[in-house]
Amino acid sequence: MEPAARAAWESRIPLGTIAAVEQVAPLVVFLASDAASHITGVSVAVDGGQLLV
């Protein structure tokens, strides 16, 4: 991604940065585990608060 495009995108994220794989992976692992076996039909936003603005 071009630096100017990345900066424009990140400026719209309240936490100020695009998530790294390491920040998203724990949620994916949890949702794929037996610990999440009773979770159905839900969307989990991992967007640094972007949907709040």
Side-chain angles (χ1 to χ4, degrees):
M1 178 180 292
E2 292 201 23
R6 184 179 185 97
W9 190 353
E10 289 180 331
S11 73
R12 295 186 298 270
I13 299 173
L15 292 181
T17 186
I18 297 170
V21 171
E22 295 79 16
Q23 294 170 301
V24 178
L27 176 62
V28 173
V29 170
F30 168 70
L31 291 173
S33 75
D34 287 339
S37 64
H38 207 68
I39 296 175
T40 61
V42 66
S43 295
V44 181
V46 182
D47 65 0
Q50 189 172 13
L51 291 177
L52 298 175
V53 291

